[in-house]
Amino acid sequence: MRQILPRTLRGQLTLGMVSLLTFACLAVGITTVLALRGFLMGRLDEQLYASGGRFAASLEYESEPDADNRSDTRGQAEGTLGARVMDGRVTEAAVVDDDTDRPLPLTSEDRGALLGVPPDRHGHTLRLSALGKYRVTAVRGDDNDILITGLPLRPVEETVHRLVAVEAALFAAAIVSTGTVGGLWVRASLRPLRRVGARASEVADLPLATGEVSMPGPLPDADPRTEVGGLGAAINRMLGHVEDALVRRQASEERLRHFAADASHELRTPVANIRGHAELALRHRGPVPGDVRRSLERIAGETQRMTRLVDDLLLLARLDAGRPLEHQPVDLTLLILNATEDARAASPDHHWRLDLPDAPVVIHGDAHRLQQAIGNLMANIRTHTPAGTEVSLTLATSAAGVEVSVSDNGPGIPEELLPEVFGRFVRGDQGRSRSTGGTGLGLAIVHAVITAHGGTVRVVSRPGRTTFRFMLPG
């Protein structure tokens, strides 16, 4: 049933209006036809009652030789039927034809039908093989016989059929015209609702997650006194709230972005000074107590890790601010080879496998940032997979661009962590242990660098198989 009904509100309203009109026309048509038929049948019964069986009574003298006693057809309508029943059989039957009575041939079914008419002076309908449908009435005669008089139903049926044809033509024209005009009227009435839908679709297509969007203006003619106008007014209020929230969020993000950039920039100098002084103290020629040396080494290690963290934060802040990257030819095959060699040197216990095309793959981009992104993927695998893990790097080209995938057969990423794996400060070790040296920014940098190059990156993971795949334009 749902497949038959139209999907659009306009179609449903038009169909409902046409259906109601059709039902109303059917009800009017049936009522008028039944009323007319009843009226005509009543007039026919009155004629039969007024005849009083005179024509049927005159048939009693048909068999007598006296010509003056032939049946009386005067005043009888064309096609009037007369029949006389005596002692359970039909003795005479005739029909008026051109002001004379014509004997009516009867079949056994016809005689049975005439014998079944009760002498109650009420109208009854029967069908005769030679005449068709007739309306008849029966009265008792003076000779203990039954006199039957009938009139044809054909004029009544023709009149009723003519009325049915006229009503069908009128109602069909009314339904078609109403459906056409009603469809146009419904379309015009739903125009404000279509504007609301178009505005909602326009807002839905906006990249609201970025915050840097221009909201469309308010809907015109949003009269809250109407249903659609009330909806439009609610949409306008909602758009106002959304725009205000986006402006506030954008301002907050801009302040946070500037703070991260400024703080990272300002921290680079004191961190570098601390590291330099610690290394200088470690190179002191004189004796240095063991606990002091350990503290200095600890300071040097922490400042080195803090330097990497500051550099990562500064890079993310610059990418967030839309700083342009270099756009030079980059041999992506060479970058992957270099990253793999670095990974083998850093983690010889992992098994690194390469699947590269025969010819070098060259794209346009920032070689240093792409090298950093690929290196971060390698470091992430080294950090979160055990020794002996097999890692496969694949580089492929297609009409859509260049695809790089990095897969491993390690334990996989926890399912609850997958939706936010590219977030900032997201770590697999929720205890935030510093033994691995991770900052939780590596994959965030991968996502930011690939996105800044106009590419996409995604991850699919299950126990025993994790694949990072990013696509870059060719």
Side-chain angles (χ1 to χ4, degrees), residues 273-283 295-297 299-300 303:
N273 291 334
I274 294 173
R275 181 180 176 184
H277 285 293
E279 292 177 351
L280 180 62
L282 287 173
R283 290 197 298 269
S295 297
L296 291 174
E297 291 174 350
I299 291 173
T303 52

Side-chain angles (χ1 to χ4, degrees), residues 232-305:
I235 291 290
N236 287 339
R237 292 195 299 271
M238 182 186 70
L239 292 179
H241 295 325
V242 171
E243 184 175 17
D244 182 64
L246 289 176
V247 170
R248 291 173 180 268
R249 188 188 71 176
Q250 183 66 17
S252 176
E253 290 182 353
E254 287 293 335
R255 289 193 298 270
L256 182 61
R257 195 174 294 130
H258 288 307
F259 169 77
D262 295 342
S264 300
H265 182 74
E266 294 297 330
L267 284 173
R268 296 181 72 180
T269 300
V271 169
N273 291 334
I274 294 173
R275 181 180 176 184
H277 285 293
E279 292 177 351
L280 180 62
L282 287 173
R283 290 197 298 269
H284 181 63
R285 296 180 180 181
V288 178
D291 54 348
V292 175
R293 177 172 293 275
R294 284 193 298 273
S295 297
L296 291 174
E297 291 174 350
R298 182 68 174 169
I299 291 173
E302 288 299 313
T303 52
Q304 185 177 4
R305 191 183 66 83

Side-chain angles (χ1 to χ4, degrees), residues 303-343:
T303 52
Q304 185 177 4
R305 191 183 66 83
M306 193 170 182
T307 299
R308 291 197 302 269
L309 176 61
V310 169
D311 290 341
D312 290 345
L313 286 174
L314 187 58
L315 171 62
L316 288 174
R318 289 173 175 173
L319 292 176
D320 289 341
R323 296 281 184 89
L325 299 174
E326 292 186 5
H327 194 70
Q328 301 294 332
V330 178
D331 187 347
L332 199 57
T333 306
L334 180 61
L335 291 186
I336 293 177
L337 288 172
N338 292 337
T340 305
E341 290 299 324
D342 295 341

Side-chain angles (χ1 to χ4, degrees), residues 26 68 130 152 164 168 183 204 263 308 362 376 400 402 404 426 429 441 446 465:
L26 286 175
D68 294 334
V164 170
R308 291 197 302 269
V362 179
N376 283 358
V402 179
V404 178
V426 175
D429 50 342
L441 295 176
V446 173
R465 189 68 176 178

